[in-house]
Coordinates of all heavy atoms in Angstrom, one line a residue:
A1 N 155.4 103.2 156.1 CA 156.8 102.7 155.8 C 157.8 103.8 155.7 O 158.9 103.8 156.1 CB 156.8 101.8 154.6
S2 N 157.3 104.9 155.0 CA 158.2 106.0 154.8 C 158.6 106.7 156.2 O 159.7 107.3 156.3 CB 157.6 107.1 153.9 OG 156.5 107.7 154.5
I3 N 157.7 106.6 157.1 CA 158.0 107.1 158.5 C 159.2 106.3 159.1 O 160.1 106.9 159.6 CB 156.8 107.0 159.4 CG1 155.7 108.0 158.9 CG2 157.2 107.4 160.8 CD1 154.4 107.9 159.7
R4 N 159.1 105.0 158.9 CA 160.2 104.2 159.5 C 161.5 104.4 158.8 O 162.6 104.5 159.4 CB 159.8 102.7 159.4 CG 158.6 102.3 160.3 CD 158.4 100.8 160.3 NE 158.0 100.3 159.1 CZ 156.7 100.2 158.7 NH1 155.8 100.6 159.5 NH2 156.4 99.7 157.6
V5 N 161.5 104.7 157.4 CA 162.8 105.0 156.7 C 163.3 106.3 157.2 O 164.5 106.5 157.5 CB 162.5 105.1 155.2 CG1 163.7 105.6 154.5 CG2 162.1 103.7 154.7
A6 N 162.5 107.3 157.4 CA 162.9 108.6 157.9 C 163.5 108.5 159.3 O 164.5 109.2 159.6 CB 161.8 109.6 157.8
Q7 N 162.8 107.7 160.1 CA 163.3 107.5 161.5 C 164.7 106.9 161.5 O 165.6 107.2 162.3 CB 162.3 106.7 162.3 CG 161.1 107.5 162.6 CD 160.0 106.6 163.3 OE1 160.1 105.3 163.2 NE2 159.1 107.2 164.0
A8 N 165.0 105.9 160.6 CA 166.3 105.2 160.5 C 167.3 106.2 160.1 O 168.5 106.3 160.6 CB 166.2 104.1 159.5
D9 N 167.0 107.1 159.1 CA 168.0 108.1 158.7 C 168.3 109.1 159.8 O 169.4 109.5 160.0 CB 167.4 108.9 157.5 CG 167.4 108.0 156.2 OD1 168.0 106.9 156.2 OD2 166.6 108.3 155.3
A10 N 167.2 109.4 160.5 CA 167.4 110.4 161.7 C 168.3 109.7 162.7 O 169.2 110.4 163.3 CB 166.1 110.8 162.2
S11 N 168.1 108.5 163.0 CA 168.9 107.8 164.0 C 170.4 107.7 163.6 O 171.3 107.9 164.4 CB 168.4 106.4 164.3 OG 167.1 106.4 164.7
L12 N 170.7 107.4 162.3 CA 172.0 107.4 161.8 C 172.7 108.7 161.8 O 173.9 108.9 162.3 CB 172.0 106.9 160.3 CG 173.4 106.8 159.6 CD1 174.3 105.9 160.4 CD2 173.2 106.3 158.2
A13 N 172.0 109.8 161.5 CA 172.5 111.2 161.5 C 172.8 111.6 163.0 O 173.9 112.2 163.2 CB 171.5 112.1 160.9
Q14 N 172.0 111.1 163.9 CA 172.2 111.5 165.3 C 173.5 110.7 165.8 O 174.3 111.3 166.5 CB 171.0 111.1 166.2 CG 171.2 111.3 167.6 CD 171.3 112.8 167.9 OE1 170.7 113.7 167.3 NE2 172.1 113.2 169.0
A15 N 173.7 109.5 165.4 CA 174.9 108.7 165.8 C 176.2 109.3 165.3 O 177.2 109.4 166.0 CB 174.8 107.3 165.4
E16 N 176.2 109.7 164.0 CA 177.3 110.3 163.4 C 177.7 111.6 164.1 O 178.9 112.0 164.3 CB 177.1 110.5 161.9 CG 177.1 109.2 161.1 CD 176.9 109.5 159.6 OE1 176.6 110.7 159.3 OE2 176.9 108.5 158.9
L17 N 176.7 112.4 164.5 CA 176.9 113.6 165.2 C 177.6 113.4 166.5 O 178.5 114.1 166.9 CB 175.6 114.4 165.3 CG 175.7 115.7 166.1 CD1 176.6 116.7 165.4 CD2 174.3 116.3 166.2
E18 N 177.1 112.4 167.2 CA 177.7 112.1 168.5 C 179.1 111.7 168.4 O 180.0 112.0 169.2 CB 176.8 111.0 169.2 CG 175.4 111.6 169.6 CD 174.6 110.4 170.2 OE1 175.0 109.3 170.2 OE2 173.4 110.7 170.6
R19 N 179.5 110.9 167.4 CA 180.9 110.5 167.2 C 181.8 111.6 166.9 O 182.9 111.8 167.3 CB 181.0 109.4 166.1 CG 180.5 108.0 166.6 CD 180.8 106.9 165.6 NE 180.2 107.1 164.3 CZ 179.1 106.6 164.0 NH1 178.4 105.9 164.8 NH2 178.6 106.8 162.7
A20 N 181.2 112.5 166.0 CA 182.0 113.7 165.7 C 182.2 114.6 166.8 O 183.3 115.2 167.0 CB 181.3 114.4 164.6
E21 N 181.3 114.7 167.7 CA 181.5 115.6 168.9 C 182.6 115.0 169.8 O 183.3 115.8 170.5 CB 180.2 115.7 169.7 CG 179.1 116.6 169.0 CD 177.8 116.5 169.7 OE1 177.6 115.7 170.6 OE2 176.9 117.4 169.4
A22 N 182.8 113.7 169.8 CA 183.9 113.1 170.6 C 185.2 113.4 170.0 O 186.2 113.4 170.8 CB 183.6 111.6 170.8
L23 N 185.3 113.6 168.7 CA 186.6 113.8 168.1 C 187.0 115.3 167.9 O 188.1 115.6 167.6 CB 186.6 113.1 166.7 CG 186.5 111.6 166.7 CD1 186.3 111.1 165.3 CD2 187.6 111.0 167.4
V24 N 186.0 116.2 168.0 CA 186.3 117.6 167.8 C 187.2 118.2 168.7 O 188.0 119.1 168.4 CB 184.9 118.4 167.7 CG1 184.3 118.5 169.1 CG2 185.2 119.7 167.1
S25 N 187.2 117.7 170.0 CA 188.1 118.2 171.0 C 189.6 117.8 170.7 O 190.5 118.5 171.1 CB 187.8 117.7 172.4 OG 187.8 116.3 172.4
R26 N 189.8 116.8 169.9 CA 191.2 116.3 169.6 C 191.7 117.0 168.3 O 192.8 116.7 167.8 CB 191.2 114.8 169.4 CG 190.8 114.1 170.7 CD 190.8 112.6 170.4 NE 190.3 111.8 171.6 CZ 190.2 110.5 171.7 NH1 190.6 109.8 170.6 NH2 189.8 109.9 172.7
G27 N 190.8 117.7 167.7 CA 191.2 118.4 166.5 C 191.1 117.6 165.2 O 191.5 118.1 164.1
F28 N 190.4 116.5 165.3 CA 190.3 115.7 164.0 C 189.1 116.1 163.2 O 189.0 115.8 162.0 CB 190.1 114.2 164.4 CG 191.3 113.6 165.1 CD1 191.2 113.3 166.4 CD2 192.4 113.3 164.3 CE1 192.4 112.7 167.0 CE2 193.5 112.7 164.9 CZ 193.5 112.4 166.3
I29 N 188.2 116.8 163.7 CA 187.0 117.3 163.0 C 186.9 118.8 163.1 O 187.0 119.3 164.2 CB 185.7 116.6 163.6 CG1 185.7 115.1 163.5 CG2 184.4 117.2 162.9 CD1 185.7 114.6 162.2
S30 N 186.7 119.4 162.0 CA 186.6 120.9 162.0 C 185.2 121.3 162.4 O 184.2 120.5 162.4 CB 186.9 121.4 160.6 OG 185.9 121.0 159.7
K31 N 185.1 122.6 162.8 CA 183.8 123.1 163.2 C 182.8 123.1 162.0 O 181.6 122.9 162.2 CB 183.9 124.5 163.8 CG 184.7 124.5 165.1 CD 184.7 125.9 165.7 CE 185.4 125.9 167.1 NZ 185.5 127.3 167.6
A32 N 183.3 123.3 160.8 CA 182.5 123.3 159.6 C 181.8 121.9 159.4 O 180.7 121.8 159.1 CB 183.3 123.7 158.4
D33 N 182.6 120.9 159.6 CA 182.1 119.5 159.5 C 181.0 119.3 160.6 O 180.0 118.6 160.4 CB 183.2 118.5 159.7 CG 184.1 118.5 158.5 OD1 183.7 119.0 157.4 OD2 185.3 118.1 158.6
M34 N 181.2 119.8 161.8 CA 180.2 119.6 162.9 C 178.9 120.3 162.5 O 177.8 119.8 162.7 CB 180.8 120.2 164.2 CG 181.9 119.4 164.8 SD 181.3 117.8 165.3 CE 180.0 118.2 166.5
D35 N 179.0 121.5 161.9 CA 177.8 122.2 161.5 C 177.0 121.4 160.4 O 175.8 121.3 160.5 CB 178.1 123.6 160.9 CG 178.6 124.5 162.0 OD1 178.4 124.2 163.2 OD2 179.3 125.5 161.7

């Protein structure tokens, strides 16, 4: 079960990163936030 929890957290982190990459070119997200 802990594997499934960790996989869900990893999927959420991956989705947030992809959304941030779409906004960084417009200047809404700083490079520090992306890191």
